[in-house]
PDB file of all heavy atoms in Angstrom:
ATOM      1  N   ALA S 108      35.671 138.815 -96.298  1.00 83.00           N
ATOM      2  CA  ALA S 108      35.543 137.627 -97.103  1.00 83.00           C
ATOM      3  C   ALA S 108      34.326 136.756 -96.822  1.00 83.00           C
ATOM      4  O   ALA S 108      33.654 136.282 -97.701  1.00 83.00           O
ATOM      5  CB  ALA S 108      36.834 136.764 -96.980  1.00 83.00           C
ATOM      6  N   PHE S 109      33.999 136.663 -95.519  1.00 81.00           N
ATOM      7  CA  PHE S 109      32.983 135.702 -95.095  1.00 81.00           C
ATOM      8  C   PHE S 109      31.688 136.341 -94.662  1.00 81.00           C
ATOM      9  O   PHE S 109      30.628 135.704 -94.676  1.00 81.00           O
ATOM     10  CB  PHE S 109      33.503 134.809 -93.991  1.00 81.00           C
ATOM     11  CG  PHE S 109      34.613 133.913 -94.416  1.00 81.00           C
ATOM     12  CD1 PHE S 109      35.955 134.212 -94.149  1.00 81.00           C
ATOM     13  CD2 PHE S 109      34.357 132.754 -95.162  1.00 81.00           C
ATOM     14  CE1 PHE S 109      36.984 133.373 -94.543  1.00 81.00           C
ATOM     15  CE2 PHE S 109      35.351 131.931 -95.592  1.00 81.00           C
ATOM     16  CZ  PHE S 109      36.691 132.222 -95.287  1.00 81.00           C
ATOM     17  N   GLU S 110      31.699 137.608 -94.273  1.00 78.00           N
ATOM     18  CA  GLU S 110      30.459 138.264 -93.840  1.00 78.00           C
ATOM     19  C   GLU S 110      30.127 139.457 -94.790  1.00 78.00           C
ATOM     20  O   GLU S 110      29.229 140.198 -94.510  1.00 78.00           O
ATOM     21  CB  GLU S 110      30.571 138.774 -92.395  1.00 78.00           C
ATOM     22  CG  GLU S 110      30.687 137.642 -91.373  1.00 78.00           C
ATOM     23  CD  GLU S 110      30.616 138.152 -89.972  1.00 78.00           C
ATOM     24  OE1 GLU S 110      30.307 139.336 -89.757  1.00 78.00           O
ATOM     25  OE2 GLU S 110      30.820 137.332 -89.049  1.00 78.00           O
ATOM     26  N   LYS S 111      30.939 139.569 -95.863  1.00 76.00           N
ATOM     27  CA  LYS S 111      30.708 140.635 -96.839  1.00 76.00           C
ATOM     28  C   LYS S 111      30.717 142.033 -96.244  1.00 76.00           C
ATOM     29  O   LYS S 111      30.083 142.915 -96.724  1.00 76.00           O
ATOM     30  CB  LYS S 111      29.414 140.400 -97.596  1.00 76.00           C
ATOM     31  CG  LYS S 111      29.273 139.014 -98.200  1.00 76.00           C
ATOM     32  CD  LYS S 111      30.398 138.673 -99.141  1.00 76.00           C
ATOM     33  CE  LYS S 111      30.246 137.223 -99.670  1.00 76.00           C
ATOM     34  NZ  LYS S 111      31.393 136.823-100.498  1.00 76.00           N
ATOM     35  N   LYS S 112      31.480 142.149 -95.151  1.00 74.00           N
ATOM     36  CA  LYS S 112      31.588 143.422 -94.443  1.00 74.00           C
ATOM     37  C   LYS S 112      32.770 144.195 -95.013  1.00 74.00           C
ATOM     38  O   LYS S 112      33.927 143.992 -94.625  1.00 74.00           O
ATOM     39  CB  LYS S 112      31.759 143.196 -92.915  1.00 74.00           C
ATOM     40  CG  LYS S 112      31.730 144.488 -92.159  1.00 74.00           C
ATOM     41  CD  LYS S 112      31.869 144.163 -90.630  1.00 74.00           C
ATOM     42  CE  LYS S 112      31.876 145.443 -89.835  1.00 74.00           C
ATOM     43  NZ  LYS S 112      32.012 145.150 -88.375  1.00 74.00           N
ATOM     44  N   LYS S 113      32.513 145.012 -95.970  1.00 75.00           N
ATOM     45  CA  LYS S 113      33.573 145.756 -96.705  1.00 75.00           C
ATOM     46  C   LYS S 113      34.278 146.689 -95.755  1.00 75.00           C
ATOM     47  O   LYS S 113      33.672 147.421 -94.996  1.00 75.00           O
ATOM     48  CB  LYS S 113      32.980 146.543 -97.866  1.00 75.00           C
ATOM     49  CG  LYS S 113      34.011 147.154 -98.789  1.00 75.00           C
ATOM     50  CD  LYS S 113      33.343 147.835 -99.960  1.00 75.00           C
ATOM     51  CE  LYS S 113      34.383 148.440-100.886  1.00 75.00           C
ATOM     52  NZ  LYS S 113      33.784 149.134-102.072  1.00 75.00           N
ATOM     53  N   PRO S 114      35.655 146.651 -95.777  1.00 71.00           N
ATOM     54  CA  PRO S 114      36.423 147.457 -94.888  1.00 71.00           C
ATOM     55  C   PRO S 114      36.232 148.938 -95.171  1.00 71.00           C
ATOM     56  O   PRO S 114      36.178 149.373 -96.323  1.00 71.00           O
ATOM     57  CB  PRO S 114      37.855 147.061 -95.158  1.00 71.00           C
ATOM     58  CG  PRO S 114      37.843 146.454 -96.525  1.00 71.00           C
ATOM     59  CD  PRO S 114      36.510 145.774 -96.614  1.00 71.00           C
ATOM     60  N   ASP S 115      36.104 149.739 -94.113  1.00 72.00           N
ATOM     61  CA  ASP S 115      35.942 151.186 -94.300  1.00 72.00           C
ATOM     62  C   ASP S 115      37.315 151.865 -94.390  1.00 72.00           C
ATOM     63  O   ASP S 115      38.370 151.220 -94.407  1.00 72.00           O
ATOM     64  CB  ASP S 115      35.126 151.770 -93.110  1.00 72.00           C
ATOM     65  CG  ASP S 115      35.715 151.394 -91.768  1.00 72.00           C
ATOM     66  OD1 ASP S 115      36.938 151.103 -91.670  1.00 72.00           O
ATOM     67  OD2 ASP S 115      34.955 151.443 -90.760  1.00 72.00           O
ATOM     68  N   LYS S 116      37.312 153.175 -94.495  1.00 76.00           N
ATOM     69  CA  LYS S 116      38.512 153.951 -94.673  1.00 76.00           C
ATOM     70  C   LYS S 116      39.459 153.739 -93.482  1.00 76.00           C
ATOM     71  O   LYS S 116      40.713 153.692 -93.646  1.00 76.00           O
ATOM     72  CB  LYS S 116      38.188 155.411 -94.871  1.00 76.00           C
ATOM     73  CG  LYS S 116      37.497 155.705 -96.200  1.00 76.00           C
ATOM     74  CD  LYS S 116      37.266 157.219 -96.375  1.00 76.00           C
ATOM     75  CE  LYS S 116      36.595 157.490 -97.702  1.00 76.00           C
ATOM     76  NZ  LYS S 116      36.312 158.947 -97.901  1.00 76.00           N
ATOM     77  N   VAL S 117      38.901 153.658 -92.244  1.00 73.00           N
ATOM     78  CA  VAL S 117      39.695 153.528 -91.054  1.00 73.00           C
ATOM     79  C   VAL S 117      40.459 152.200 -91.124  1.00 73.00           C
ATOM     80  O   VAL S 117      41.631 152.107 -90.840  1.00 73.00           O
ATOM     81  CB  VAL S 117      38.788 153.549 -89.819  1.00 73.00           C
ATOM     82  CG1 VAL S 117      39.597 153.158 -88.582  1.00 73.00           C
ATOM     83  CG2 VAL S 117      38.213 154.937 -89.626  1.00 73.00           C
ATOM     84  N   SER S 118      39.729 151.136 -91.532  1.00 69.00           N
ATOM     85  CA  SER S 118      40.323 149.842 -91.630  1.00 69.00           C
ATOM     86  C   SER S 118      41.489 149.776 -92.641  1.00 69.00           C
ATOM     87  O   SER S 118      42.529 149.192 -92.380  1.00 69.00           O
ATOM     88  CB  SER S 118      39.314 148.758 -91.995  1.00 69.00           C
ATOM     89  OG  SER S 118      38.296 148.690 -90.992  1.00 69.00           O
ATOM     90  N   VAL S 119      41.204 150.356 -93.807  1.00 76.00           N
ATOM     91  CA  VAL S 119      42.204 150.392 -94.876  1.00 76.00           C
ATOM     92  C   VAL S 119      43.465 151.174 -94.443  1.00 76.00           C
ATOM     93  O   VAL S 119      44.603 150.738 -94.647  1.00 76.00           O
ATOM     94  CB  VAL S 119      41.622 151.007 -96.174  1.00 76.00           C
ATOM     95  CG1 VAL S 119      42.699 151.150 -97.227  1.00 76.00           C
ATOM     96  CG2 VAL S 119      40.487 150.115 -96.689  1.00 76.00           C
ATOM     97  N   CYS S 120      43.249 152.347 -93.874  1.00 79.00           N
ATOM     98  CA  CYS S 120      44.351 153.154 -93.378  1.00 79.00           C
ATOM     99  C   CYS S 120      45.162 152.425 -92.327  1.00 79.00           C
ATOM    100  O   CYS S 120      46.394 152.423 -92.345  1.00 79.00           O
ATOM    101  CB  CYS S 120      43.836 154.494 -92.807  1.00 79.00           C
ATOM    102  SG  CYS S 120      43.230 155.637 -94.067  1.00 79.00           S
ATOM    103  N   SER S 121      44.434 151.768 -91.391  1.00 72.00           N
ATOM    104  CA  SER S 121      45.124 151.012 -90.340  1.00 72.00           C
ATOM    105  C   SER S 121      45.930 149.911 -90.919  1.00 72.00           C
ATOM    106  O   SER S 121      47.093 149.655 -90.511  1.00 72.00           O
ATOM    107  CB  SER S 121      44.076 150.427 -89.375  1.00 72.00           C
ATOM    108  OG  SER S 121      44.718 149.649 -88.364  1.00 72.00           O
ATOM    109  N   GLY S 122      45.395 149.208 -91.922  1.00 72.00           N
ATOM    110  CA  GLY S 122      46.135 148.101 -92.574  1.00 72.00           C
ATOM    111  C   GLY S 122      47.358 148.570 -93.274  1.00 72.00           C
ATOM    112  O   GLY S 122      48.437 147.959 -93.165  1.00 72.00           O
ATOM    113  N   LEU S 123      47.281 149.727 -93.958  1.00 78.00           N
ATOM    114  CA  LEU S 123      48.428 150.213 -94.676  1.00 78.00           C
ATOM    115  C   LEU S 123      49.509 150.686 -93.690  1.00 78.00           C
ATOM    116  O   LEU S 123      50.721 150.455 -93.932  1.00 78.00           O
ATOM    117  CB  LEU S 123      47.994 151.431 -95.541  1.00 78.00           C
ATOM    118  CG  LEU S 123      47.143 151.086 -96.762  1.00 78.00           C
ATOM    119  CD1 LEU S 123      46.640 152.371 -97.458  1.00 78.00           C
ATOM    120  CD2 LEU S 123      47.894 150.236 -97.736  1.00 78.00           C
ATOM    121  N   ILE S 124      49.099 151.327 -92.572  1.00 80.00           N
ATOM    122  CA  ILE S 124      50.077 151.740 -91.562  1.00 80.00           C
ATOM    123  C   ILE S 124      50.760 150.533 -90.972  1.00 80.00           C
ATOM    124  O   ILE S 124      51.996 150.519 -90.760  1.00 80.00           O
ATOM    125  CB  ILE S 124      49.393 152.588 -90.490  1.00 80.00           C
ATOM    126  CG1 ILE S 124      48.857 153.910 -91.087  1.00 80.00           C
ATOM    127  CG2 ILE S 124      50.364 152.905 -89.342  1.00 80.00           C
ATOM    128  CD1 ILE S 124      47.974 154.678 -90.143  1.00 80.00           C
ATOM    129  N   SER S 125      50.020 149.471 -90.655  1.00 75.00           N
ATOM    130  CA  SER S 125      50.605 148.261 -90.113  1.00 75.00           C
ATOM    131  C   SER S 125      51.599 147.669 -91.064  1.00 75.00           C
ATOM    132  O   SER S 125      52.643 147.204 -90.661  1.00 75.00           O
ATOM    133  CB  SER S 125      49.468 147.272 -89.817  1.00 75.00           C
ATOM    134  OG  SER S 125      48.724 147.592 -88.696  1.00 75.00           O
ATOM    135  N   PHE S 126      51.270 147.691 -92.390  1.00 76.00           N
ATOM    136  CA  PHE S 126      52.166 147.150 -93.360  1.00 76.00           C
ATOM    137  C   PHE S 126      53.500 147.876 -93.352  1.00 76.00           C
ATOM    138  O   PHE S 126      54.575 147.246 -93.479  1.00 76.00           O
ATOM    139  CB  PHE S 126      51.526 147.234 -94.751  1.00 76.00           C
ATOM    140  CG  PHE S 126      52.328 146.586 -95.828  1.00 76.00           C
ATOM    141  CD1 PHE S 126      52.377 145.189 -95.966  1.00 76.00           C
ATOM    142  CD2 PHE S 126      53.089 147.374 -96.689  1.00 76.00           C
ATOM    143  CE1 PHE S 126      53.160 144.636 -97.006  1.00 76.00           C
ATOM    144  CE2 PHE S 126      53.853 146.812 -97.690  1.00 76.00           C
ATOM    145  CZ  PHE S 126      53.864 145.399 -97.845  1.00 76.00           C
ATOM    146  N   VAL S 127      53.468 149.185 -93.217  1.00 80.00           N
ATOM    147  CA  VAL S 127      54.697 149.989 -93.106  1.00 80.00           C
ATOM    148  C   VAL S 127      55.485 149.576 -91.911  1.00 80.00           C
ATOM    149  O   VAL S 127      56.733 149.318 -91.964  1.00 80.00           O
ATOM    150  CB  VAL S 127      54.364 151.485 -93.054  1.00 80.00           C
ATOM    151  CG1 VAL S 127      55.643 152.292 -92.767  1.00 80.00           C
ATOM    152  CG2 VAL S 127      53.735 151.987 -94.332  1.00 80.00           C
ATOM    153  N   GLY S 128      54.781 149.394 -90.782  1.00 78.00           N
ATOM    154  CA  GLY S 128      55.499 148.977 -89.566  1.00 78.00           C
ATOM    155  C   GLY S 128      56.110 147.587 -89.709  1.00 78.00           C
ATOM    156  O   GLY S 128      57.263 147.335 -89.259  1.00 78.00           O
ATOM    157  N   ILE S 129      55.440 146.648 -90.405  1.00 75.00           N
ATOM    158  CA  ILE S 129      55.957 145.319 -90.621  1.00 75.00           C
ATOM    159  C   ILE S 129      57.256 145.362 -91.439  1.00 75.00           C
ATOM    160  O   ILE S 129      58.206 144.623 -91.147  1.00 75.00           O
ATOM    161  CB  ILE S 129      54.926 144.468 -91.401  1.00 75.00           C
ATOM    162  CG1 ILE S 129      53.732 144.171 -90.464  1.00 75.00           C
ATOM    163  CG2 ILE S 129      55.526 143.168 -91.854  1.00 75.00           C
ATOM    164  CD1 ILE S 129      52.538 143.585 -91.153  1.00 75.00           C
ATOM    165  N   MET S 130      57.353 146.293 -92.367  1.00 77.00           N
ATOM    166  CA  MET S 130      58.538 146.396 -93.202  1.00 77.00           C
ATOM    167  C   MET S 130      59.797 146.761 -92.325  1.00 77.00           C
ATOM    168  O   MET S 130      60.868 146.309 -92.603  1.00 77.00           O
ATOM    169  CB  MET S 130      58.362 147.503 -94.287  1.00 77.00           C
ATOM    170  CG  MET S 130      57.370 147.110 -95.358  1.00 77.00           C
ATOM    171  SD  MET S 130      57.833 145.615 -96.282  1.00 77.00           S
ATOM    172  CE  MET S 130      56.776 144.406 -95.433  1.00 77.00           C
ATOM    173  N   PHE S 131      59.579 147.514 -91.262  1.00 78.00           N
ATOM    174  CA  PHE S 131      60.714 147.860 -90.373  1.00 78.00           C
ATOM    175  C   PHE S 131      61.233 146.595 -89.671  1.00 78.00           C
ATOM    176  O   PHE S 131      62.436 146.457 -89.477  1.00 78.00           O
ATOM    177  CB  PHE S 131      60.269 148.885 -89.317  1.00 78.00           C
ATOM    178  CG  PHE S 131      60.293 150.289 -89.829  1.00 78.00           C
ATOM    179  CD1 PHE S 131      59.166 150.870 -90.460  1.00 78.00           C
ATOM    180  CD2 PHE S 131      61.422 151.057 -89.749  1.00 78.00           C
ATOM    181  CE1 PHE S 131      59.169 152.156 -90.930  1.00 78.00           C
ATOM    182  CE2 PHE S 131      61.477 152.379 -90.178  1.00 78.00           C
ATOM    183  CZ  PHE S 131      60.346 152.927 -90.821  1.00 78.00           C
ATOM    184  N   PHE S 132      60.348 145.685 -89.313  1.00 73.00           N
ATOM    185  CA  PHE S 132      60.774 144.427 -88.689  1.00 73.00           C
ATOM    186  C   PHE S 132      61.687 143.647 -89.663  1.00 73.00           C
ATOM    187  O   PHE S 132      62.685 143.091 -89.246  1.00 73.00           O
ATOM    188  CB  PHE S 132      59.544 143.607 -88.295  1.00 73.00           C
ATOM    189  CG  PHE S 132      58.886 144.018 -87.059  1.00 73.00           C
ATOM    190  CD1 PHE S 132      57.805 144.853 -87.080  1.00 73.00           C
ATOM    191  CD2 PHE S 132      59.341 143.561 -85.826  1.00 73.00           C
ATOM    192  CE1 PHE S 132      57.152 145.248 -85.899  1.00 73.00           C
ATOM    193  CE2 PHE S 132      58.722 143.979 -84.640  1.00 73.00           C
ATOM    194  CZ  PHE S 132      57.601 144.801 -84.682  1.00 73.00           C
ATOM    195  N   PHE S 133      61.270 143.601 -90.935  1.00 69.00           N
ATOM    196  CA  PHE S 133      62.029 142.821 -91.829  1.00 69.00           C
ATOM    197  C   PHE S 133      63.329 143.514 -92.243  1.00 69.00           C
ATOM    198  O   PHE S 133      64.324 142.838 -92.597  1.00 69.00           O
ATOM    199  CB  PHE S 133      61.181 142.479 -93.100  1.00 69.00           C
ATOM    200  CG  PHE S 133      60.146 141.452 -92.854  1.00 69.00           C
ATOM    201  CD1 PHE S 133      58.886 141.780 -92.401  1.00 69.00           C
ATOM    202  CD2 PHE S 133      60.486 140.123 -92.962  1.00 69.00           C
ATOM    203  CE1 PHE S 133      57.925 140.805 -92.163  1.00 69.00           C
ATOM    204  CE2 PHE S 133      59.549 139.141 -92.689  1.00 69.00           C
ATOM    205  CZ  PHE S 133      58.278 139.450 -92.269  1.00 69.00           C
ATOM    206  N   LEU S 134      63.427 144.800 -92.179  1.00 71.00           N
ATOM    207  CA  LEU S 134      64.671 145.509 -92.414  1.00 71.00           C
ATOM    208  C   LEU S 134      65.647 145.139 -91.289  1.00 71.00           C
ATOM    209  O   LEU S 134      66.820 144.946 -91.543  1.00 71.00           O
ATOM    210  CB  LEU S 134      64.451 147.033 -92.431  1.00 71.00           C
ATOM    211  CG  LEU S 134      63.767 147.608 -93.684  1.00 71.00           C
ATOM    212  CD1 LEU S 134      63.447 149.090 -93.471  1.00 71.00           C
ATOM    213  CD2 LEU S 134      64.678 147.452 -94.911  1.00 71.00           C
ATOM    214  N   ASP S 135      65.167 145.063 -90.067  1.00 66.00           N
ATOM    215  CA  ASP S 135      66.008 144.663 -88.929  1.00 66.00           C
ATOM    216  C   ASP S 135      66.484 143.244 -89.116  1.00 66.00           C
ATOM    217  O   ASP S 135      67.644 142.865 -88.772  1.00 66.00           O
ATOM    218  CB  ASP S 135      65.232 144.762 -87.635  1.00 66.00           C
ATOM    219  CG  ASP S 135      66.080 145.341 -86.505  1.00 66.00           C
ATOM    220  OD1 ASP S 135      67.173 145.835 -86.800  1.00 66.00           O
ATOM    221  OD2 ASP S 135      65.612 145.381 -85.386  1.00 66.00           O
ATOM    222  N   SER S 136      65.658 142.347 -89.674  1.00 56.00           N
ATOM    223  CA  SER S 136      65.950 140.945 -89.797  1.00 56.00           C
ATOM    224  C   SER S 136      66.989 140.651 -90.875  1.00 56.00           C
ATOM    225  O   SER S 136      67.568 139.568 -90.895  1.00 56.00           O
ATOM    226  CB  SER S 136      64.682 140.162 -90.058  1.00 56.00           C
ATOM    227  OG  SER S 136      63.817 140.267 -88.981  1.00 56.00           O
ATOM    228  N   LEU S 137      67.233 141.608 -91.772  1.00 53.00           N
ATOM    229  CA  LEU S 137      68.221 141.404 -92.813  1.00 53.00           C
ATOM    230  C   LEU S 137      69.606 141.196 -92.196  1.00 53.00           C
ATOM    231  O   LEU S 137      70.421 140.416 -92.720  1.00 53.00           O
ATOM    232  CB  LEU S 137      68.250 142.597 -93.814  1.00 53.00           C
ATOM    233  CG  LEU S 137      67.014 142.766 -94.658  1.00 53.00           C
ATOM    234  CD1 LEU S 137      67.147 144.071 -95.489  1.00 53.00           C
ATOM    235  CD2 LEU S 137      66.800 141.588 -95.563  1.00 53.00           C
ATOM    236  N   SER S 138      69.798 141.807 -91.058  1.00 50.00           N
ATOM    237  CA  SER S 138      71.121 141.634 -90.327  1.00 50.00           C
ATOM    238  C   SER S 138      70.985 140.697 -89.146  1.00 50.00           C
ATOM    239  O   SER S 138      71.898 140.060 -88.744  1.00 50.00           O
ATOM    240  CB  SER S 138      71.618 142.991 -89.902  1.00 50.00           C
ATOM    241  OG  SER S 138      70.697 143.630 -89.014  1.00 50.00           O
ATOM    242  N   ALA S 139      69.790 140.639 -88.597  1.00 53.00           N
ATOM    243  CA  ALA S 139      69.608 139.827 -87.373  1.00 53.00           C
ATOM    244  C   ALA S 139      69.294 138.335 -87.671  1.00 53.00           C
ATOM    245  O   ALA S 139      69.394 137.493 -86.837  1.00 53.00           O
ATOM    246  CB  ALA S 139      68.469 140.384 -86.510  1.00 53.00           C
ATOM    247  N   GLY S 140      68.944 138.013 -88.930  1.00 52.00           N
ATOM    248  CA  GLY S 140      68.671 136.633 -89.261  1.00 52.00           C
ATOM    249  C   GLY S 140      67.379 136.089 -88.814  1.00 52.00           C
ATOM    250  O   GLY S 140      67.186 134.866 -88.711  1.00 52.00           O
ATOM    251  N   GLY S 141      66.377 136.929 -88.492  1.00 75.00           N
ATOM    252  CA  GLY S 141      65.100 136.469 -87.953  1.00 75.00           C
ATOM    253  C   GLY S 141      63.972 136.510 -88.983  1.00 75.00           C
ATOM    254  O   GLY S 141      62.823 136.561 -88.625  1.00 75.00           O
ATOM    255  N   MET S 142      64.307 136.474 -90.272  1.00 81.00           N
ATOM    256  CA  MET S 142      63.288 136.623 -91.311  1.00 81.00           C
ATOM    257  C   MET S 142      62.224 135.528 -91.244  1.00 81.00           C
ATOM    258  O   MET S 142      61.005 135.824 -91.249  1.00 81.00           O
ATOM    259  CB  MET S 142      63.927 136.560 -92.707  1.00 81.00           C
ATOM    260  CG  MET S 142      62.957 136.766 -93.858  1.00 81.00           C
ATOM    261  SD  MET S 142      62.440 138.539 -93.977  1.00 81.00           S
ATOM    262  CE  MET S 142      63.985 139.298 -94.582  1.00 81.00           C
ATOM    263  N   ALA S 143      62.668 134.276 -91.078  1.00 87.00           N
ATOM    264  CA  ALA S 143      61.694 133.158 -91.021  1.00 87.00           C
ATOM    265  C   ALA S 143      60.823 133.287 -89.793  1.00 87.00           C
ATOM    266  O   ALA S 143      59.571 133.020 -89.851  1.00 87.00           O
ATOM    267  CB  ALA S 143      62.421 131.810 -90.984  1.00 87.00           C
ATOM    268  N   GLY S 144      61.365 133.684 -88.656  1.00 88.00           N
ATOM    269  CA  GLY S 144      60.576 133.881 -87.464  1.00 88.00           C
ATOM    270  C   GLY S 144      59.525 134.953 -87.607  1.00 88.00           C
ATOM    271  O   GLY S 144      58.384 134.822 -87.085  1.00 88.00           O
TER     272      GLY S 144
END
């Protein structure tokens, strides 16, 4: 956004993988009540 350094394939892949991992945290929170946290 600020240095116009366009993300490469490694960055995009890493971001997508992280997003998948994040979803697992929120699946756990559906029963644990930690969504806001």
Side-chain angles (χ1 to χ4, degrees):
F109 293 101
E110 295 188 7
K111 308 304 178 184
K112 186 178 179 180
K113 189 175 180 180
D115 54 22
K116 292 181 180 179
V117 171
S118 299
V119 174
C120 289
S121 177
L123 291 174
I124 294 170
S125 287
F126 184 77
V127 172
I129 291 168
M130 290 301 99
F131 278 90
F132 281 96
F133 284 92
L134 285 173
D135 222 9
S136 296
L137 292 176
S138 58
M142 184 72 73

